[in-house]
Amino acid sequence: MSIDTSTGSAMPNSVAGEAVAELDGIRMSFGGNVVLDDVRLPVHPGFTGLIGPNGAGKTTCLNVISGYLRPDQGDVRIGGRSVVGRSAHQIAKLGVSRTFQTPRLIPDLSAVENVMVGAGRHFRGGHLAELFGLPTARHDERRLRGLARELLTTFGLGEHPERAASQFPIGSQKIIEVARGLLNEPRLLLLDEPAAGLGAEDVDRLVTGLTSWATGRDAAVLIIEHDLELITRLCPNVAVLHFGRIIQSGAPRDVLRDPVVVEAYLGADFATGD
Ligand SMILES: Nc1ncnc2c1ncn2[C@@H]1O[C@H](COP(=O)(O)OP(=O)(O)O)[C@@H](O)[C@H]1O
Ligand SMILES: [Mg+2]
């Protein structure tokens, strides 16, 4: 897989083939129902897509990588180290950020403050009281507010940073959540259907913002998404999950033409919402 960098800067940590994160032989079941079966998925610097029909096990993959679920079998490696058995909190501290299928913003806080919440692991305890209260945190608060505003601008939402999150349309709320996931300079960003429910304009904001953020960085972004055009625009590599197994991976234009993949989508009740 080639990593697209528009700058010519050396990327000493992204030796070809070195994965930022890796699922290796993952098996996961819920009460005897096998949901992931021998899943192998390397996530390299740049964008990786994870697609597949509803119920295929995509969100479960994210939950396993981020420590929300412990797999029955197999290894999860981040930066080459096994993290199976670590808590979601411990894994987040390794530089892993995620978003959820439905945005989890704090409705009464402003857009910029919601992004600042993403600083959790840079604060002792990571509580909002510390973020906004203690004198020792004031310098950090100013710095973070600046970073959060920059991120909102990167995603085309810099105009009303002080507006309450609940006042933004749902599409913008989802983008604010993505921006929050970036505040900590994650090494690995996990996005669960970030474009679901977004209009074309918001999809463009998302793609432009993510591309601009990733340029010149060494981070890896794993995106679950039904919007195959978005996947094709962003991801040099995509893996297809079907009934808990990776059935194909490679460049989107090849993968999406593969008869096995087409069959998997047509055979399932594939509700894309678009
Ligand atoms: N916590 C859970 N308990 C029981 N079953 C679950 C749980 N999470 C997911 N599942 C089941 O696992 C399967 C895969 O779910 P999921 O990973 O959410 O799929 P996707 O994100 O691809 O739509 C589904 O059949 C779902 O019902
Ligand atoms: Mg899901």
Side-chain angles (χ1 to χ4, degrees):
M1 187 186 104
S2 66
I3 306 301
D4 181 33
T5 51
S6 58
T7 66
S9 62
M11 296 172 70
N13 293 329
S14 40
V15 177
E18 188 183 315
V20 172
E22 193 157 20
L23 292 178
D24 185 3
I26 294 297
R27 184 185 172 88
M28 182 80 222
S29 57
F30 297 109
N33 180 22
V34 178
V35 167
L36 296 179
D37 189 10
D38 197 24
V39 168
R40 289 164 203 275
L41 177 69
V43 185
H44 294 273
F47 293 91
T48 302
L50 180 61
I51 65 173
N54 286 327
K58 303 180 298 297
T59 296
T60 304
C61 284
L62 282 209
N63 287 336
V64 167
I65 296 177
S66 53
Y68 284 76
L69 289 173
R70 187 185 176 130
D72 303 339
Q73 268 177 44
D75 203 7
V76 183
R77 286 185 290 276
I78 293 175
R81 278 153 56 196
S82 176
V83 296
V84 172
R86 295 201 197 190
S87 68
H89 181 66
Q90 288 170 321
I91 290 177
K93 279 187 173 170
L94 296 175
V96 178
S97 276
R98 70 170 294 177
T99 64
F100 294 86
Q101 273 182 257
T102 39
R104 298 189 174 185
L105 298 180
I106 301 169
D108 294 340
L109 286 186
S110 68
V112 75
E113 284 162 350
N114 267 285
V115 177
M116 291 167 76
V117 169
R121 81 186 154 96
H122 284 177
F123 280 87
R124 277 159 293 149
H127 297 300
L128 281 174
E130 284 189 298
L131 192 56
F132 300 116
L134 293 181
T136 48
R138 276 195 201 125
H139 174 258
D140 273 353
E141 189 204 324
R142 266 199 303 277
R143 188 179 62 82
L144 288 173
R145 194 172 283 275
L147 288 174
R149 277 175 181 268
E150 275 174 36
L151 280 169
L152 287 172
T153 303
T154 301
F155 284 91
L157 291 174
E159 273 180 38
H160 305 290
E162 303 305 335
R163 185 180 286 176
S166 56
Q167 305 292 310
F168 285 84
I170 186 75
S172 302
Q173 290 189 30
K174 291 194 75 166
I175 294 176
I176 293 168
E177 198 185 52
V178 172
R180 169 197 282 177
L182 297 178
L183 194 77
N184 271 339
E185 287 288 333
R187 186 85 178 87
L188 174 66
L189 176 67
L190 307 168
L191 301 176
D192 199 349
E193 300 194 19
L198 264 60
E201 202 178 317
D202 278 331
V203 171
D204 276 339
R205 280 198 180 112
L206 182 68
V207 170
T208 308
L210 283 172
T211 308
S212 146
W213 180 80
T215 300
R217 282 184 167 85
D218 211 16
V221 184
L222 178 62
I223 303 190
I224 294 175
E225 191 45 70
H226 284 309
D227 181 340
L228 300 178
E229 195 193 322
L230 178 146
I231 291 286
T232 306
R233 282 166 77 184
L234 275 179
C235 306
N237 211 27
V238 61
V240 186
L241 198 62
H242 186 45
F243 288 122
R245 287 179 158 269
I246 303 280
I247 58 167
Q248 189 56 278
S249 66
R253 65 184 164 279
D254 299 331
V255 166
L256 296 175
R257 264 196 304 225
D258 186 299
V260 175
V261 173
V262 173
E263 171 73 27
Y265 272 100
L266 294 178
D269 182 15
F270 181 47
T272 60
D274 60 14

